[in-house]
Amino acid sequence: MVEQQAAVLSPEALVEEFKKNGVTHVVTIPDSETNYLYELMQEQPWLDVVPASREGETFAIALGLIIGGQTPVCLIQNTGMMESGDSIRGMALDSGFPLVMVIGYRGWNRHGVITDSVARYTEPFLNAFRINYYLVEQDADSHRISVAFEEAKNTKRPVAILVGDEYHGFNR
Amino acid sequence: MIQSSDIFRVFKDHRGDAIVIPTGTSGRHWREFTQNETRDLNLGGAMGHTTSAALGLALGLPNEKVVLFDSEGALLMNLGILATIAGKQPSNFCHILLDNECYATTGGQPVPNAQEINYAGVAKEAGYSAAYSFDDLEEFATNIEQIMNESGPVFVAIKVVPEVENEPIGMRQRAPSRSRAETIRDLQGELGISAG
């Protein structure tokens, strides 16, 4: 019997995509599930991690960084994204600058029943704000991050990456 | 309490080349005194997150002095930003709070615990390099030069006279001012930053 290797999303894949797309700052609220990614980001000399106290801060801090000529990414969970509604409106959508937001898709499940309400409301939330999004579940999907950067640049709007592996902790 | 316009009248002589971000009803007076509009930035608003955007600017432009004129109603909406700012220790950031103890744009209702809270104390304990409180114009005028030369993040809380607005929003007179997009474009042009 052949044992199947589960497909995983490694923190290295995300950090590589950040580097490839010229990211200078990651504005984030770390959580236990993204611990490996947080550690790896801290080790990168080209990357400045900006820990925030509340998710709504991240979009505003990102705007300030963009005005200063930097390329930030907001890295938060879907729960915090919902808390950030007015900040997304006022600081991201209304400002007319490109921004990639990487959202941990808490509660998302491809094969089972979704029981966590935050997962049920995540995509409707993004649709309500007319923010396009790409699902990234494993390393093979990581090129979609570059697609999101290109789209954000071309449209001068925020584009979201939904990290479907978040619930499992950015598996190594 | 001090008139906001007097704060700006004093501050203008100590601004140097700093990027200035005025906010709130009190902040409108800056237009009467600024002598370098290209370095004045309107960051808009989003439930108190102008403070966060000002932090981002200070981090993005570490060689430029950034001065934010904040309001206490906005800061209270997102008090955790004090810890966020202190955590990054932007040495180029001066955070001046114009505290009129009320929501002036909605009729002057008091903010929570308006007369008792010690904002400078909160900022200092959050980890700012230095924090000051002023309720006297002469005292502010005596200290502002040293404050502007201090390594940040520095916090300055000033009690100001509220300028309460009671007219319906649509009937309020507004002096012409540049939009957020215009101020960003002008500042980026001055600093040689290409728009994202």
Side-chain angles (χ1 to χ4, degrees), chain A residues 59-79:
Chain A
F59 297 95
I61 293 171
L63 173 60
L65 285 164
I66 291 167
I67 294 169
Q70 308 295 327
T71 305
V73 157
C74 295
L75 173 66
I76 57 175
Q77 203 175 50
N78 46 359
T79 46

Side-chain angles (χ1 to χ4, degrees), chain A residues 1 12 18 33-35 37-38 65 81 85 94 97 106 120-121 131 134 143 146-147 153 166:
Chain A
M1 182 175 168
E12 288 82 1
F18 290 166
E33 283 116 2
T34 60
N35 192 36
L37 179 61
Y38 188 79
L65 285 164
M81 177 185 73
D94 284 1
F97 288 104
R106 194 188 94 177
R120 284 201 298 271
Y121 296 126
I131 294 173
Y134 295 90
H143 69 280
S146 288
V147 172
K153 193 175 169 186
E166 188 270 345

Side-chain angles (χ1 to χ4, degrees), chain B residues 92-163:
Chain B
N92 58 335
F93 188 53
C94 182
H95 187 174
I96 300 178
L97 185 79
L98 300 181
D99 173 16
N100 62 12
E101 300 185 353
C102 69
Y103 299 110
T105 54
T106 60
Q109 304 89 340
V111 301
N113 207 22
Q115 295 180 5
E116 301 300 324
I117 185 168
N118 175 359
Y119 294 105
V122 176
K124 182 63 181 163
E125 293 303 317
Y128 275 60
S129 300
Y132 303 87
S133 293
F134 297 107
D135 198 2
D136 178 87
L137 184 62
E138 288 303 312
E139 201 181 340
F140 172 71
T142 302
N143 286 278
I144 185 61
E145 183 170 354
Q146 175 220 317
I147 288 168
M148 287 295 287
N149 288 325
E150 233 172 303
S151 182
V154 177
F155 188 90
V156 181
I158 308 173
K159 290 286 187 186
V160 297
V161 177
E163 296 170 45

Side-chain angles (χ1 to χ4, degrees), chain B:
Chain B
M1 285 186 165
I2 307 170
Q3 295 289 346
S4 303
S5 54
D6 288 336
I7 297 293
F8 290 123
R9 184 177 290 110
V10 169
F11 172 76
K12 74 172 171 33
D13 293 333
H14 303 275
R15 176 212 192 141
D17 287 332
I19 297 167
V20 176
I21 304 163
T23 69
T25 50
S26 302
R28 290 175 198 157
H29 289 290
W30 177 239
R31 287 202 299 266
E32 301 159 25
F33 300 100
T34 182
Q35 293 167 323
N36 190 353
E37 276 196 311
T38 306
R39 282 178 172 258
D40 296 339
L41 191 58
N42 165 12
L43 281 174
M47 309 301 279
H49 283 304
T50 307
T51 321
S52 314
L55 168 63
L57 189 75
L59 294 176
L61 296 169
N63 296 320
E64 301 288 343
K65 184 91 174 177
V66 174
V67 180
L68 168 69
F69 284 92
D70 208 347
S71 63
E72 87 290 352
L75 182 62
L76 283 172
M77 288 190 177
N78 189 33
L79 206 54
I81 190 63
L82 295 177
T84 305
I85 291 167
K88 291 305 287 184
Q89 288 289 304
S91 61
N92 58 335
F93 188 53
C94 182
H95 187 174
I96 300 178
L97 185 79
L98 300 181
D99 173 16
N100 62 12
E101 300 185 353
C102 69
Y103 299 110
T105 54
T106 60
Q109 304 89 340
V111 301
N113 207 22
Q115 295 180 5
E116 301 300 324
I117 185 168
N118 175 359
Y119 294 105
V122 176
K124 182 63 181 163
E125 293 303 317
Y128 275 60
S129 300
Y132 303 87
S133 293
F134 297 107
D135 198 2
D136 178 87
L137 184 62
E138 288 303 312
E139 201 181 340
F140 172 71
T142 302
N143 286 278
I144 185 61
E145 183 170 354
Q146 175 220 317
I147 288 168
M148 287 295 287
N149 288 325
E150 233 172 303
S151 182
V154 177
F155 188 90
V156 181
I158 308 173
K159 290 286 187 186
V160 297
V161 177
E163 296 170 45
V164 174
E165 296 181 292
N166 275 315
E167 302 82 10
I169 287 177
M171 296 175 64
R172 292 177 190 175
Q173 299 295 315
R174 292 276 184 262
S177 63
R178 293 179 303 151
S179 69
R180 175 167 68 176
E182 288 168 329
T183 66
I184 292 172
R185 183 199 59 208
D186 291 350
L187 179 65
Q188 288 186 322
E190 159 105 353
L191 299 176
I193 297 169
S194 61

Side-chain angles (χ1 to χ4, degrees), chain A residues 3-57:
Chain A
E3 193 172 307
Q4 189 175 356
Q5 171 67 47
V8 296
L9 177 62
S10 63
E12 288 82 1
L14 270 89
V15 169
E16 182 56 35
E17 283 291 322
F18 290 166
K19 189 172 188 180
K20 193 198 303 182
N21 287 285
V23 173
T24 56
H25 296 73
V26 175
V27 192
T28 184
I29 297 199
D31 58 64
S32 56
E33 283 116 2
T34 60
N35 192 36
Y36 290 143
L37 179 61
Y38 188 79
E39 289 173 5
L40 190 64
M41 290 191 304
Q42 293 277 20
E43 292 168 7
Q44 309 306 313
W46 49 270
L47 189 62
D48 191 353
V49 177
V50 183
S53 302
R54 187 82 171 168
E55 283 84 352
E57 291 175 12

Side-chain angles (χ1 to χ4, degrees), chain A residues 76-109:
Chain A
I76 57 175
Q77 203 175 50
N78 46 359
T79 46
M81 177 185 73
M82 292 180 188
E83 184 273 333
S84 306
D86 195 58
S87 185
I88 292 172
R89 174 202 62 79
M91 294 294 172
L93 287 164
D94 284 1
S95 69
F97 288 104
L99 176 69
V100 170
M101 45 200 275
V102 180
I103 309 296
Y105 202 165
R106 194 188 94 177
W108 188 84
N109 187 326

